[in-house]
Amino acid sequence: DTEVTQTPKHLVMGMTNKKSLKCEQHMGHRAMYWYKQKAKKPPELMFVYSYEKLSINESVPSRFSPECPNSSLLNLHLHALQPEDSALYLCASSQDRNGQGGGFNRGYTFGSGTRLTVV
Amino acid sequence: GENVEQHPSTLSVQEGDSAVIKCTYSDSASNYFPWYKQELGKGPQLIIDIRSNVGEKKDQRIAVTLNKTAKHFSLHITETQPEDSAVYFCAAVSGYSTLTFGKGTMLLVSP
């Protein structure tokens, strides 16, 4: 299995809703990532988990809350989002070079993303 | 931190022609350079990558070259086909940092 699976593919939510995005991989990768991508822009890093621990938070607003229940799963909990948060949310994974959470220079595999619309 | 510049932003070619996309990076410690293809409505797909100890790598119609001294790397696609039409992103990774993407190149291959 060489895939990263994201659900749902599309999500429309109101500004007062609470929803979650899910990501799953079974490649044995120990680093997992959330990216946000606006139209005609490159992906922007939001969070990095390494060995199920949050290692990087790129100053993301608290209305986005990541969770890594185990080495195969990554969630992104959404609450009180704004219309400007509408974007494609991408999950990715990669092998971690060593056990100390560093060395993210292995091939990243991206999921197909969740297209989020906040109304 | 790392900064990756990518050119051109749009590239139109005729089917069968070659296409070249160029990227430069700023951090001399960067040692891994992947290229991603992103089709409409899909996530980025890794198409080829190169490490700093290699100058060139080829996979069928796709090749990547790396010039460490000049800090630039390029993607070469030969015998382009309409299905090569997509947005292509270069990226760089430096040791303990994560991917830094270029701004992307929209490649249009006309039949």
Side-chain angles (χ1 to χ4, degrees):
Chain A
D1 188 351
T2 57
E3 284 188 344
V4 173
T5 303
Q6 289 189 243
T7 56
K9 292 194 183 306
H10 302 275
L11 178 63
V12 179
M13 61 184 291
M15 289 187 283
T16 59
N17 290 160
K18 286 185 181 180
K19 296 286 185 184
S20 296
L21 309 185
K22 296 186 183 301
C23 174
E24 190 169 3
Q25 58 88 15
H26 296 287
M27 295 177 280
H29 289 174
R30 302 313 298 268
M32 296 186 76
Y33 313 80
W34 280 114
Y35 284 83
K36 173 182 178 180
Q37 187 177 27
K38 300 285 258 185
K40 299 185 180 181
K41 298 286 187 183
E44 294 176 27
L45 183 65
M46 299 174 72
F47 303 103
V48 180
Y49 273 83
S50 180
Y51 287 80
E52 294 121 70
K53 289 184 169 47
L54 183 65
S55 62
I56 296 177
N57 176 341
E58 292 286 354
S59 302
V60 179
S62 60
R63 56 186 185 270
F64 295 91
S65 175
E67 178 196 17
C68 190
N70 60 55
S71 61
S72 299
L73 295 174
L74 187 66
N75 298 322
L76 186 63
H77 303 296
L78 314 173
H79 174 53
L81 295 194
Q82 303 297 310
E84 58 265 30
D85 296 321
S86 298
L88 181 68
Y89 288 84
L90 294 162
C91 174
S93 69
S94 71
Q95 285 183 308
D96 200 9
R97 187 172 68 182
N98 57 42
Q100 279 72 52
F104 300 106
N105 59 358
R106 300 290 187 101
Y108 288 51
T109 301
F110 283 84
S112 292
T114 294
R115 175 70 62 187
L116 174 67
T117 304
V118 182
V119 297
Chain B
E2 176 65 277
N3 181 48
V4 178
E5 300 281 341
Q6 183 172 348
H7 299 280
S9 56
T10 306
L11 179 59
S12 295
V13 300
Q14 292 291 119
E15 184 177 0
D17 288 350
S18 294
V20 180
I21 302 171
K22 298 183 179 183
C23 290
T24 60
Y25 60 98
S26 60
D27 187 349
S28 56
S30 287
N31 57 7
Y32 174 63
F33 307 91
W35 286 87
Y36 289 88
K37 175 184 181 182
Q38 187 172 22
E39 297 174 311
L40 199 61
K42 297 186 178 181
Q45 178 190 9
L46 179 70
I47 55 172
I48 196 166
D49 57 11
I50 192 167
R51 299 190 183 280
S52 57
N53 58 350
V54 176
E56 184 174 358
K57 184 176 178 181
K58 191 173 181 180
D59 183 3
Q60 298 182 339
R61 295 186 298 109
I62 295 173
V64 58
T65 58
L66 172 65
N67 183 327
K68 283 176 57 181
T69 303
K71 288 192 277 188
H72 63 70
F73 56 113
S74 300
L75 178 72
H76 304 253
I77 306 174
T78 58
E79 300 172 24
T80 54
Q81 301 166 3
E83 51 265 39
D84 293 330
S85 296
V87 178
Y88 290 81
F89 291 102
C90 64
V93 177
S94 170
Y96 286 72
S97 67
T98 56
L99 282 174
T100 300
F101 284 96
K103 291 191 185 301
T105 296
M106 179 176 289
L107 175 64
L108 302 169
V109 181
S110 304

